[in-house]
Amino acid sequence: MCVQTHWCLIQIYSLLKISYSFGTLSLSLPHFSSPFFPLLSFISLLLSAMVSHLVTTIRNVVGITGNVISLFLFLSPVPTFIRIWKKGSVEQFSPAPYLATLINCMVWVVYGLPMVHPNSTLVVTINGTGTAIEIVYLTLFLIYCHDKKKRVKVMLIVLVEMIFIAGVTALVLIIAHTTQRRSMVVGIIAILFNIMMYAAPLSVMKLVITTKSVEYMPFFLSLASFANGVAWTAYAFLPFDPFIAVPNGLGTLFSLAQLLLYATYYKSTKRIIAARQEAKMEMHLSEVVVNGDNNDPQKNSTAP
């Protein structure tokens, strides 16, 4: 009995050919005549179902994790808008990041539609949420922007973005008749906008290198960007989706570069901030001394 069991295991090991392609496990058995063929067929189907279920579960977990991290990224400007609300003015803040994020989220919502790229519910949910959040930011920006020209410019850009998204959606659904072609067209557009969004911090990185200070590059935002890129890159391999993998892979590299810069200039930043505070204290003390001398009645009195 043991010999037969051992022989059966050897046959299973030698005959089962496992190939993984685009997240689907396919087990193929050669055609032969054997009393063990029904058993091997059952085992192959069972293993295929188990692995497919495991891949789907992992994909959903990674996607939900990516959603949570992306939500944190979308909510990161909240302190900025609380400051705007308290001061009643947008001051020198730029609307560019919110306009860029808005168009990026809207493109990914179109990409995740069932008639464009099926089985992308998690892509639609997080980018739909991001679209709503960015609209709230831009509405607050318009309310507290006292520059009429800037306010009109922002409204025109938002209008152009809306028309662009509507046009892309209509053309893709009318001209492209398969989900593969629709995914390719919208995916290429999404890659471009996603790379632009991830590349935005490059100007900040240049400032860090020039000033040798990471004071204006928030650590937690860079860390969240890195985690977001890693999560969505992993999601893109379950199954492989180049339109998600390419921009988020590049975003991971950009965020990693920011973290490396942060580690490089963290100590010098502390020294710069400390020196600045010390200079302010010395200036304050000198002003106190000067004011004290001016207010001293003995020094200011004249001899009789």
Side-chain angles (χ1 to χ4, degrees):
M1 188 66 177
C2 293
V3 174
Q4 291 179 350
T5 303
H6 181 68
W7 180 84
C8 181
L9 292 174
I10 292 175
Q11 292 298 315
I12 294 173
Y13 177 78
S14 61
L15 293 175
L16 290 179
K17 296 179 179 179
I18 303 175
S19 61
Y20 179 77
S21 175
F22 297 101
T24 303
L25 182 73
S26 60
L27 297 174
S28 58
L29 293 173
H31 295 286
F32 68 99
S33 130
S34 169
F36 293 99
F37 183 75
L39 175 62
L40 296 178
S41 298
F42 173 76
I43 293 175
S44 67
L45 291 174
L46 181 61
L47 288 176
S48 178
M50 289 174 61
V51 174
S52 296
H53 178 71
L54 178 62
V55 169
T56 303
T57 302
I58 295 174
R59 185 174 189 267
N60 290 335
V61 170
V62 173
I64 292 172
T65 303
N67 275 10
V68 173
I69 297 172
S70 296
L71 182 61
F72 173 76
L73 280 177
F74 291 144
L75 293 176
S76 59
V78 167
T80 299
F81 280 90
I82 291 176
R83 173 179 173 178
I84 290 173
W85 171 65
K86 287 183 177 180
K87 293 196 172 184
S89 173
V90 298
E91 298 177 303
Q92 298 300 317
F93 287 107
S94 171
Y98 317 112
L99 293 168
T101 305
L102 176 63
I103 185 69
N104 179 70
C105 288
M106 289 193 295
V107 171
W108 280 110
V109 168
V110 175
Y111 179 82
L113 294 176
M115 65 285 294
V116 176
H117 192 78
N119 303 320
S120 300
T121 305
L122 292 174
V123 176
V124 174
T125 54
I126 186 57
N127 286 285
T129 304
T131 299
I133 292 173
E134 298 306 319
I135 289 175
V136 171
Y137 290 157
L138 289 170
T139 301
L140 290 173
F141 193 93
L142 292 173
I143 292 173
Y144 293 106
C145 179
H146 304 303
D147 186 340
K148 185 177 180 181
K149 291 183 178 180
K150 181 184 286 188
R151 190 163 58 243
V152 172
K153 183 179 179 181
V154 171
M155 288 190 290
L156 287 175
I157 293 175
V158 172
L159 180 61
V160 170
E161 290 182 350
M162 296 291 184
I163 295 174
F164 174 78
I165 291 298
V168 168
T169 305
L171 289 175
V172 165
L173 295 178
I174 293 172
I175 297 175
H177 300 292
T178 63
T179 55
Q180 289 79 7
R181 291 183 180 179
R182 292 170 180 172
S183 296
M184 183 180 68
V185 174
V186 181
I188 292 172
I189 297 174
I191 283 178
L192 295 176
F193 283 109
N194 213 355
I195 290 176
M196 288 173 59
M197 188 184 72
Y198 273 122
L202 290 178
S203 59
V204 180
M205 294 170 65
K206 181 181 178 181
L207 179 65
V208 169
I209 295 173
T210 303
T211 61
K212 300 185 184 302
S213 172
V214 294
E215 186 176 0
Y216 298 104
M217 189 174 71
F219 171 74
F220 290 106
L221 184 58
S222 300
L223 182 62
S225 298
F226 176 74
N228 182 71
V230 170
W232 284 108
T233 301
Y235 178 86
F237 281 89
L238 298 166
F240 182 66
D241 188 334
F243 302 115
I244 296 179
V246 171
N248 286 285
L250 290 174
T252 302
L253 295 178
F254 289 149
S255 301
L256 180 61
Q258 293 178 51
L259 292 175
L260 291 175
L261 278 179
Y262 197 94
T264 302
Y265 294 110
Y266 177 76
K267 292 184 178 179
S268 62
T269 303
K270 290 292 185 182
R271 289 195 295 268
I272 291 172
I273 294 176
R276 186 189 307 157
Q277 291 177 346
E278 184 177 351
K280 286 183 178 180
M281 290 180 63
E282 291 178 355
M283 184 179 298
H284 178 69
L285 288 174
S286 63
E287 289 177 354
V288 171
V289 171
V290 171
N291 291 334
D293 291 342
N294 291 334
N295 295 328
D296 191 344
Q298 294 182 351
K299 292 185 178 181
N300 292 332
S301 61
T302 56

